[in-house]
């Protein structure tokens, strides 16, 4: 079945370090891909998305490129901040009415100053 | 503007009891989703409403789980004869239109603990 696999955490970085969180997917069709973030004590919120191959989603300094050939959507940021500490979820959804999101297990990022 | 709200934020109940969890979506959003998030896992789909009708309930784990959205706005997730394995955070999300490529807006969740 369709699924998302993301790297296990926790990921611990110092401020200004480079971040990569790997995400790969298995899907029977051509899904849209998402990164959601959950800050401590808050609900899930969309960080970025890409709806077709080679699209790059970006927001708040984070980027991810939809790679169909490697079925990947890795999240990157050039210089992390303490405020980026959160749980990050990679997800996919198909472009049909009402299809739900399929999430990975989440990766906890902890950034220290 | 108001986001998705869920009540209660926490619910502790005893095994075998009945519980109701409420979701108030963003005004005007026609699509509403329920997910369940167990500890250390990503959210898992339970049910999707388009308007008043449950368009897809394939994620409900068994017939103890039921959800309604009688007026196409507020939704209630109902769990009968609760079991300890039902303990999780129950998330509600809404979307302006139901296309899979559109953003779903999530509520803060209800943490259910079954003793």
């Amino acid at each position: 079945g369709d699924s998302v696999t993301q790297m296990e955490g926790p990921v611990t970085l110092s401020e200004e370090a480079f971040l990569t969180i790997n995400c790969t997917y298995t899907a029977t069709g051509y899904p849209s891909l998402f990164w959601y973030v959950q800050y401590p004590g808050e609900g899930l919120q969309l960080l970025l998305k890409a709806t077709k191959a080679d699209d790059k989603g970006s927001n708040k300094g984070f980027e991810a490129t939809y790679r169909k050939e490697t079925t990947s959507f890795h999240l990157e940021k050039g210089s992390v901040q303490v405020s980026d500490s959160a749980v990050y979820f990679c997800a996919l959804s198909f472009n049909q009415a009402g299809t739900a999101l399929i999430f990975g297990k989440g990766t906890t990022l902890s950034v220290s100053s | 503007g108001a986001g998705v709200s869920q009540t209660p934020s926490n619910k502790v109940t005893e095994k075998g009891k009945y519980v109701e969890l409420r979701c108030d979506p963003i005004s005007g959003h026609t699509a509403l989703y329920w997910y369940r998030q167990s500890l250390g896992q990503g959210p898992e789909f339970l049910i999707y409403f388009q308007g008043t009708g449950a368009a897809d309930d394939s994620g409900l784990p068994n017939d103890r789980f039921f959800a309604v959205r009688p007026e196409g706005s507020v939704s209630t997730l109902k769990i009968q004869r609760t079991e300890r394995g039902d303990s999780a955070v129950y998330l509600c999300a809404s979307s302006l239109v139901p296309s899979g490529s559109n953003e779903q807006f999530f509520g803060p969740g209800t943490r259910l603990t079954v003793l």
Side-chain angles (χ1 to χ4, degrees), chain A residues 32 34 36 38 43-44 46 49 51 89 93-101 103-106, chain B residues 33 35 37 40-45 48 56 91 98-108:
Chain A
S32 292
F34 305 81
Y36 276 79
Q38 188 168 37
L44 277 167
L46 180 65
K49 72 176 186 180
T51 57
F89 292 92
S93 181
F94 291 97
N95 299 326
Q96 300 162 5
T99 52
L101 290 159
F103 287 89
K105 291 186 176 183
Chain B
Y33 304 79
Y35 295 84
Q37 186 174 14
Q41 304 294 316
E44 294 180 321
F45 168 72
Y48 153 67
D56 181 358
L91 298 172
S99 170
S101 63
N102 282 291
E103 179 178 0
Q104 294 184 22
F105 294 83
F106 283 81

Side-chain angles (χ1 to χ4, degrees), chain B residues 39-77:
Chain B
L39 192 63
Q41 304 294 316
E44 294 180 321
F45 168 72
L46 295 177
I47 187 169
Y48 153 67
F49 286 89
Q50 176 54 33
T52 60
D56 181 358
D57 64 359
S58 62
L60 295 178
N62 51 60
D63 61 6
R64 295 186 297 105
F65 288 75
F66 188 72
V68 295
R69 194 186 185 197
E71 297 178 357
S73 178
V74 171
S75 176
T76 304
L77 178 65

